[in-house]
Amino acid sequence: MLVVNTIAEVRAFIKARRREGKTVGLVPTMGYLHEGHASLIKKCREENDIVVVSVFVNPSQFGPTEDLEAYPRDFDRDCALCESAGVDIVFHPEPTEMYKTPKAYVNISTLSDNLCGKTRPVHFCGVCTVVCKLFHITMPDRAYFGQKDAQQLAIIKKMVKDLDFDIVIVGCPIVREIDGLAKSSRNIYLSSAERKAALCLSSSIKKGESMIIKGMKSDELIDAMRDVIEAEPMARIDYVSVVDAFTMKDVETIDGSVLVAMAVYIGKTRLIDNFSFEV
Ligand code: PAF
């Protein structure tokens, strides 16, 4: 497995493999890899000749008061996981390599206004900008993203469509701990009491999944899910919303493809979870 830090190196490696007729899959990450990332890499390994993993904590997707400095990092452990998962090349650039010049931004504003975009106004512009750059740098046939970040996945699919990228975006299921907590690099921030409290997210998701039916009012579903979270004193709800899975706009009634999504603070840690429902 090759580890490179510069755009020139990763490009040279991929161009050479492409000349051999090989297909390329990309798994973009911010590192501190867990089983959720491992599932993306596994799928990428199955579907492509060459597997590229990028490890880059992208400053432009963090707001000024967010956890950029504290964001967990363990590059040696990430490399060990990548090596054992059969990754061909890890691209691990410095911010100065990725953002050499004044930035051009990519903004898919229509899908970014609701849900996480409300509380994190610069986040999705930063995500789209870096993912767009990674696509241009690595020119993959396929790129892999987790459904835990459902809004991110919808925005990236829209970006690919609107900007005519010839890349298949593959969404992969949420990976959970045995007790239901969705895997996330940010789970490391939780104290043991907070870790227990964080189960209110997956309990609320289970509640929602058990009661959702076509034609019901979204408010009825949201109220029941909020009740589960509000029973946990350490939890503070950012949002629990039911949206159209393609437009990310709130819907009043359950119909078509909907995304039921939430963000909840447990102490200072903001966690997200969701499920989809198709009528
Ligand atoms: O999902 C993430 O880890 C990040 O948002 C991504 C897609 C790697 C862009 O920095």
Side-chain angles (χ1 to χ4, degrees), residues 45-64:
R45 180 68 286 163
E46 285 162 8
E47 296 183 348
N48 302 276
D49 298 322
I50 299 297
V51 175
V52 184
V53 172
S54 60
V55 175
F56 178 58
V57 182
N58 172 36
S60 72
Q61 69 187 72
F62 290 80

Side-chain angles (χ1 to χ4, degrees), residues 37-248:
H37 298 108
S39 75
L40 306 183
I41 296 171
K42 182 167 179 286
K43 184 114 178 99
C44 184
R45 180 68 286 163
E46 285 162 8
E47 296 183 348
N48 302 276
D49 298 322
I50 299 297
V51 175
V52 184
V53 172
S54 60
V55 175
F56 178 58
V57 182
N58 172 36
S60 72
Q61 69 187 72
F62 290 80
T65 59
E66 292 182 352
D67 57 342
L68 172 61
E69 295 310 323
Y71 194 84
R73 294 161 170 89
D74 189 342
F75 187 59
D76 290 343
R77 202 179 57 121
D78 291 345
C79 283
L81 186 147
C82 287
E83 180 98 61
S84 65
V87 171
D88 296 288
I89 183 164
V90 175
F91 177 45
H92 181 47
E94 290 294 327
T96 46
E97 177 69 7
M98 286 299 277
Y99 296 115
K100 282 185 195 131
T101 49
K103 282 168 236 161
Y105 289 104
V106 180
N107 200 357
I108 311 293
S109 57
T110 49
L111 297 189
S112 307
D113 300 341
N114 201 4
L115 307 178
C116 290
K118 263 193 193 161
T119 333
R120 307 186 70 193
V122 298
H123 176 66
F124 288 116
C125 179
V127 169
C128 285
T129 302
V130 81
V131 171
C132 185
K133 286 168 78 77
L134 288 167
F135 285 175
H136 284 304
I137 292 165
T138 62
M139 294 176 299
D141 298 284
R142 297 178 194 83
Y144 296 78
F145 298 86
Q147 272 158 4
K148 184 170 82 69
D149 296 299
Q151 188 176 14
Q152 168 173 284
L153 180 59
I155 288 172
I156 287 167
K157 282 184 176 165
K158 181 91 171 96
M159 177 181 86
V160 161
K161 188 163 177 258
D162 287 4
L163 300 183
D164 301 303
F165 280 100
D166 190 11
I167 299 173
V168 176
I169 301 301
V170 184
C172 299
I174 297 176
V175 178
R176 296 181 181 279
E177 304 282 356
I178 288 172
D179 60 8
L181 181 67
K183 300 257 183 192
S184 163
S185 304
R186 289 191 167 96
N187 291 350
I188 189 78
Y189 297 148
L190 301 169
S191 68
S192 65
E194 289 172 340
R195 172 67 184 73
K196 279 192 201 129
L199 289 178
C200 67
L201 280 90
S202 50
S203 302
S204 169
I205 291 285
K206 274 192 212 137
K207 175 80 187 169
E209 283 173 328
S210 73
M211 66 184 286
I212 191 167
I213 48 165
K214 176 178 162 50
M216 80 186 288
K217 291 279 166 224
S218 299
D219 280 351
E220 194 190 326
L221 183 69
I222 292 169
D223 287 349
M225 292 178 68
R226 290 185 71 104
D227 283 350
V228 176
I229 300 165
E230 281 162 359
E232 171 47 64
M234 293 178 106
R236 184 169 56 84
I237 294 175
D238 179 359
Y239 66 81
V240 178
S241 299
V242 181
V243 298
D244 177 282
F246 300 103
T247 64
M248 299 288 125

